[in-house]
Amino acid sequence: MPPRRKKSKTRRRKSLTSLIDVGTSLMVGNATINAVFGTNMWEFFTAGWFGRPNATNSWRLSLNELVMGAIDPSSNYGMDMTTGGYGTSQNRISNAVMKNLKDNGAASLATVVLAPLGAKLLKRVARKPIADMNKWVFKPINMGVKL
């Protein structure tokens, strides 16, 4: 019996990053940060650092305030305790989070639910234009992304 012919191994192509999925993730993350901390994603991560002013004496919280408050709890990051802004020093952050959830929770929940559904609908409705864009724009430049 003659030896069997060896099959060539199929090459696996590395997966591409979808720009629609990245945009959806950014929308969901921004809505979540807005619901919990009362600010957008950019302000949350950059306020207090890079020479940007902090959002002190407001219900908006930034990552800098949370980190500095965790490092030194006696620091008055956030509202001044004498004015009774957030409440006592033990629960001032939880009071701010609860107020932000009451103010922004419903809209953020709707965004968290509807953004992925909208992205999925967009991918189905615009399947042909997306495929053409991937084929003619993103594939020749070989950036590792797709639409």
Side-chain angles (χ1 to χ4, degrees), residues 77-106:
Y77 274 94
M79 283 210 153
D80 186 12
M81 292 304 105
T82 59
T83 61
Y86 290 160
T88 63
S89 61
Q90 288 82 16
N91 64 3
R92 64 180 184 224
I93 292 176
S94 64
N95 286 344
V97 168
M98 291 304 294
K99 181 186 182 308
N100 289 329
L101 282 173
K102 286 179 186 173
D103 292 346
N104 307 323

Side-chain angles (χ1 to χ4, degrees), residues 12-42:
R12 183 176 171 152
R13 194 170 39 144
K14 67 178 184 176
S15 61
L16 302 175
T17 303
S18 171
L19 295 178
I20 293 175
D21 292 341
V22 169
T24 304
S25 297
L26 286 174
M27 286 180 68
V28 169
N30 195 32
T32 304
I33 286 177
N34 187 22
V36 177
F37 300 113
T39 186
N40 62 28
M41 194 180 298
W42 178 255

